[in-house]
Amino acid sequence: KDGLYSVIYGNAIRIPAKNLFERFMNFCFEYKKEIFLKSTNRLNLYLTTGNRLLSRKFLEKFQWENNFHEDSYCFRKATESNLPVLRAPDADTFYKSVSNIQDFLLQSGKFQKAQERENNSNSYIYILKINFIDLILISVKYFLKNPIYLISYLCLFIISRICSLFLPEYTRFWKIYKSTKSLDLAT
């Protein structure tokens, strides 16, 4: 019922890949999603990308600040409200993975710069308590599924963190990673 929550987040699902890099990104997405679902102690920012339903009561008090990343800012404001933040695991939302390394580095850089901006505003939404036993078990599971993808992801993760050091601060005018905006709906 409207007003009994601030935001409801759905279940993000990646659409089928059209190329090798998208398959790799879908694998990485599922790996991270399982980590944030099973090895953390609560609903967290990492499970809330893009798919959200905001209550009218929450929106009446919500003030947008343009220079914050929309996902992290909305999640922070929802957690600061006196209304619960909910997850609807049966409400599926479909996303397209980036299809090239350049767009991945832009997407990852945007996330890193948004995290810096939130941390500078004394927000702690990016900090999680992770159960390391679960993390190891999930990592072993994904390593057994595809060791090359998991090792490649860990390397790409490090590279993306290094590249983000050379990017400008996050603003609402961040460059768009175009490969996620092109969908083939004929399938």
Side-chain angles (χ1 to χ4, degrees):
K1 186 174 179 183
D2 194 41
L4 299 178
Y5 64 91
S6 55
V7 180
I8 299 175
Y9 291 98
N11 180 40
I13 297 175
R14 296 293 177 184
I15 63 171
K18 299 289 185 192
N19 66 32
L20 180 62
F21 195 80
E22 286 180 19
R23 277 195 299 279
F24 170 64
M25 286 286 96
N26 285 355
F27 174 89
C28 299
F29 175 81
E30 291 304 321
Y31 170 64
K32 293 185 297 184
K33 182 178 172 183
E34 189 165 339
I35 288 171
F36 295 124
L37 275 171
K38 295 182 179 175
S39 67
T40 58
N41 59 346
R42 60 181 165 80
L43 178 65
N44 58 75
L45 173 66
Y46 300 94
L47 295 172
T48 63
T49 304
N51 54 347
R52 57 186 163 258
L53 175 67
L54 288 74
S55 75
R56 183 175 305 179
K57 190 170 186 176
F58 174 69
L59 280 173
E60 288 171 356
K61 297 178 183 177
F62 184 75
Q63 293 291 316
W64 191 261
E65 290 186 40
N66 287 332
N67 285 325
F68 284 95
H69 184 271
E70 65 277 5
D71 292 335
S72 61
Y73 184 74
C74 186
F75 186 77
R76 174 167 51 103
K77 289 300 183 180
T79 58
E80 290 173 354
S81 75
N82 291 324
L83 299 167
V85 178
L86 305 174
R87 184 168 184 276
D90 294 331
D92 294 338
T93 305
F94 296 89
Y95 287 96
K96 183 179 182 303
S97 290
V98 293
S99 53
N100 59 65
I101 195 163
Q102 180 181 2
D103 279 0
F104 170 77
L105 292 174
L106 272 174
Q107 184 181 53
S108 181
K110 179 181 179 182
F111 184 82
Q112 291 304 310
K113 293 303 182 177
Q115 182 177 1
E116 287 175 17
R117 174 72 47 111
E118 287 289 345
N119 290 343
N120 290 339
S121 68
N122 296 319
S123 171
Y124 301 102
I125 60 172
Y126 284 90
I127 298 172
L128 295 177
K129 291 181 181 178
I130 294 178
N131 180 318
F132 285 101
I133 292 171
D134 289 339
L135 175 64
I136 290 168
L137 291 173
I138 293 166
S139 296
V140 167
K141 173 184 167 183
Y142 277 80
F143 179 81
L144 293 174
K145 277 185 179 181
N146 193 324
I148 293 171
Y149 273 10
L150 186 64
I151 292 168
S152 298
Y153 169 67
L154 297 175
C155 293
L156 191 57
F157 177 85
I158 293 167
I159 291 167
S160 71
R161 296 312 182 262
I162 293 168
C163 288
S164 73
L165 297 173
F166 301 99
L167 293 172
E169 279 190 39
Y170 174 80
T171 71
R172 63 186 165 143
F173 301 110
W174 194 266
K175 186 176 178 182
I176 293 173
Y177 21 97
K178 294 180 181 177
S179 67
T180 63
K181 310 305 181 230
S182 175
L183 297 175
D184 180 10
L185 301 176
T187 58

